[in-house]
Amino acid sequence: MLNISGTYKGTWSHRNGNFSSKFPVFQKSSGNIVFELTSSLTDIRGVHYVQGEVVLRDGVYISDGDLQMKMEGVYVWPFRQLRMVLSSAVDSEMNRGEVFIRSSPYHLVAQDTPRNYHRSKRKTSRIMEMGKMCKIQLVTQVSPRVPDYKREFAKGEHERQFCEMRGLVEGPSMHEDQGECFSPLVVNATSVNVELYYNKAVNYTLMVTFISFLQVLFLIRQMEHSNTQSGAAKVSLMMIGQQAIMDAYLCLLHLTAGILVESLFNTFATAAFFKFVVFSIFEMRYLLAIWKSRRPVSSGEGWETMRRELSVLYSRFYGFLLSGILIIYELHSMLRYILFLFYSFWIPQIVANVVRDSRKPLHPHYIVGITLTRLAIPLYAFACPNNFMRIEPNLGWCLGLTTFLGAQAAILLLQHFCGARCFIPRQLLLDDCVQLLPEKYSYFRRVIRANEHIERGEECTPIDCVICMAAVDVSQRCNDCMVTPCDHFFHTGCLQRWMDIKMECPTCRRPLPPM
């Protein structure tokens, strides 16, 4: 005997192409439909008692959302016939939508799932009015369906659909002389293997957890690479802040998904926890280290000053976080364009490298690793044809996003190995009329002048390097000696190693410009 319990997904359409006259709820001629049925045996052999929810979408109550009805009836196995009517408990059970949502993960992961299942009072009263004046009934044939394994294997799917439903949703009036409340709806639906969505959702959360673990490793590698004051000052504050906001959004998204589907709460909560660890512990800690490296003077002015500036930093971060949520909510139809904006997080670092002429602010492993791990989630959602969110693949958009982020990473690697301004035309750097970039200080300027004195036979006073306490021979090649803007001489290697730790003169403690 066939058990018809489960989730069914399909389409509805007006058989005659006519809209409702008594109850103007149908704004379109077709749409999607979802059934959630539960059957139980009765004392009559071959007859099952069936309860469930029916959700009509796309064109029903455009201003309020979808039309959701609680129905009950019987399924007669010998005739493969399912007959259901609007439940007599509709007025007391109409607000059980939350329980209905949590009963199956399918309503979370389906692409056409509405964002809000809490119906308004106007919609509820209208459905109750329909139930009092109309005999809303569902008459369908439910029979086993043999899956086409060749077609499903070619599509890469393993969603075996066990039952097929074909029939009508009718709304005759209680009074025979008043005709029909709305024209009959033709229904075609097939059962969905809900267990497959569980497995896909679990696999997705495992992927997110693994990616978060890798991002923590790359962050630790980068923090070790820039563990000095001068190294942290080279890193863009906006670049790390933008990534922290992205991880905060992902944390909230996975936590919300776990709350909506109680059976998957543990899996989604695990992914949300790892994202919370990434942004709240590692990225926020790194953000604070970068901020402190750029304010050495303020850090020594007392706790009140530091606390005031810290409050400004955190208020800006969480201000951007909350405003971004509002923007995404208002412009959710442009989500893919917003993702391009989020995935431009390398651009602030590229600009900062050019302006400051920074030397190797980011470790190459961090650049490559973060680029690849950041692409994993959007590529899964928009490129994988079997994603559990049932989003239609868009390979063109995915190719554009990959190219956009890959180009940013390529520029950063080029700056790392060839110099921060290596891709800028030389004429632009030498043009005095249009000075777009700040002038770069030359640490070899006084050495050249000292060599000129030696060539003219003039005596040069010996100078000691205060770092190694050895004499600096200015008569050697100019790249063996460096001089700071405050006219203090050092060995090239000594000063470079010193500047990797502190960007201040070893003699007078004045700030030093980047090399």
Side-chain angles (χ1 to χ4, degrees), residues 183-195:
S183 59
L185 306 179
V186 179
V187 175
N188 292 287
T190 50
S191 63
V192 179
N193 186 358
V194 178
E195 287 297 324

Side-chain angles (χ1 to χ4, degrees), residues 27-67:
Q27 306 295 332
K28 295 182 182 179
S29 59
S30 62
N32 295 325
I33 189 170
V34 173
F35 298 86
E36 183 73 20
L37 304 179
T38 302
S39 65
S40 57
L41 294 174
T42 63
D43 295 336
I44 305 175
R45 182 178 178 84
V47 178
H48 287 214
Y49 175 68
V50 183
Q51 288 180 307
E53 298 272 0
V54 181
V55 181
L56 283 81
R57 298 174 175 159
D58 299 338
V60 186
Y61 282 125
I62 287 181
S63 61
D64 294 334
D66 301 334
L67 177 61

